[in-house]
């Protein structure tokens, strides 16, 4: 419970800095399993119909799903909190975007940026080095296909792109108002 609250609070703090605030209560259901996402083991998901986050307990993640590592590191409570933060970012996206149903790439960009941002700096640095990629560049298209094939690289490319921008708040507005499946990097 403490990890859930800490993870959620860290996401709220981070995103508030970019003008993204909750418009209503965010509910989290602890469930036995979460359906797979494109054949990838999903640790959590956002239930659009009922506006609730579905998340497995850390114990179930490690025992039932046999999750032992994340991004090349031993999976522990710090990672669990970051997974909570990822799902809270999805919930906030839905509350603040008029087109949230269509825009998976934009959502995942912000969710992964949040997930990495709430980690301690040394953990994040190790992940960035492990992924071995640079941030998205002008002209790239941030796509869900890339994310499905390489979630760790997608996360790191998004984080590096976000933190390298002069005005990330303006880009967050772009993400929230996007109307298409992918994000074209300006
Ligand atoms: Zn996600």
């Amino acid at each position: 419970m403490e990890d859930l609250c800490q993870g959620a609070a860290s996401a709220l703090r981070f995103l508030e800095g970019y003008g993204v605030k909750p418009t209503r209560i965010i509910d989290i259901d602890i469930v036995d399993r979460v359906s797979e996402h494109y054949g990838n083991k999903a640790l959590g998901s956002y239930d659009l119909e009922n506006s609730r986050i579905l998340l497995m307990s850390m114990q179930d993640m490690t025992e039932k799903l046999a999750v032992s590592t994340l991004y090349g590191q031993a999976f522990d409570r710090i990672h669990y909190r970051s997974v909570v933060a990822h799902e809270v970012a999805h919930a906030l996206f839905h509350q603040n975007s008029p087109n949230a149903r269509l825009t998976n790439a934009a959502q995942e960009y912000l969710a992964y940026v949040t997930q990495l941002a709430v980690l301690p700096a040394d953990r994040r640095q190790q992940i960035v080095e492990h992924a071995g990629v640079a941030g998205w560049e002008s002209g790239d298209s941030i796509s869900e296909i890339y994310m499905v094939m390489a979630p760790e690289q997608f996360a790191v490319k998004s984080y590096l792109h976000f933190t390298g921008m002069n005005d990330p708040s303006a880009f967050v507005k772009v993400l929230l108002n996007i109307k298409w499946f992918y994000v074209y990097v300006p």
Side-chain angles (χ1 to χ4, degrees):
M1 198 54 85
E2 192 198 331
D3 291 328
L4 284 172
C5 292
Q6 294 287 347
S10 66
L12 291 173
R13 265 197 309 275
F14 174 72
L15 288 167
E16 188 179 21
Y18 302 100
V20 184
K21 295 176 191 160
T23 59
R24 53 188 184 275
I25 284 176
I26 297 170
D27 290 303
I28 303 179
D29 289 341
I30 300 300
V31 295
D32 287 344
R33 63 179 65 244
V34 175
S35 59
E36 291 195 355
H37 188 64
Y38 295 109
N40 286 341
K41 270 188 228 170
L43 306 178
S45 76
Y46 186 74
D47 176 353
L48 203 59
E49 301 310 319
N50 302 304
S51 305
R52 304 178 81 84
I53 292 170
L54 307 179
L55 201 65
M56 293 175 71
S57 70
M58 181 163 166
Q59 193 177 0
D60 276 355
M61 282 185 194
T62 50
E63 289 174 6
K64 286 193 193 156
L65 277 186
V67 175
S68 59
T69 59
L70 193 66
Y71 306 144
Q73 299 176 9
F75 186 76
D76 63 9
R77 291 176 66 179
I78 289 175
H79 286 301
Y80 185 73
R81 290 181 185 192
S82 77
V83 170
V84 176
H86 179 115
E87 297 305 334
V88 168
H90 276 297
L92 284 173
F93 197 104
H94 278 274
Q95 292 187 0
N96 286 276
S97 166
N99 318 295
R101 279 168 190 270
L102 281 179
T103 54
N104 283 337
Q107 268 189 60
E108 293 298 351
Y109 174 102
L110 198 60
Y112 276 110
V113 167
T114 304
Q115 182 174 355
L116 291 194
V118 302
L119 285 170
D122 57 332
R123 289 291 189 93
R124 182 169 55 243
Q125 188 54 33
Q126 287 166 14
I127 291 169
V128 168
E129 285 167 17
H130 186 259
V133 291
W136 299 110
E137 287 177 16
S138 181
D140 284 348
S141 79
I142 302 172
S143 78
E144 204 181 12
I145 296 166
Y146 185 101
M147 184 199 79
V148 170
M149 291 192 300
E152 176 182 355
Q153 280 73 18
F154 181 95
V156 169
K157 285 178 87 63
S158 299
Y159 179 79
L160 293 177
H161 172 255
F162 189 80
T163 52
M165 270 184 298
N166 291 326
D167 189 0
S169 294
F171 191 65
V172 169
K173 284 205 184 73
V174 169
L175 293 172
L176 290 172
N177 289 288
I178 236 152
K179 295 191 177 84
W180 195 235
F181 297 109
Y182 59 84
V183 180
Y184 184 72
V185 181

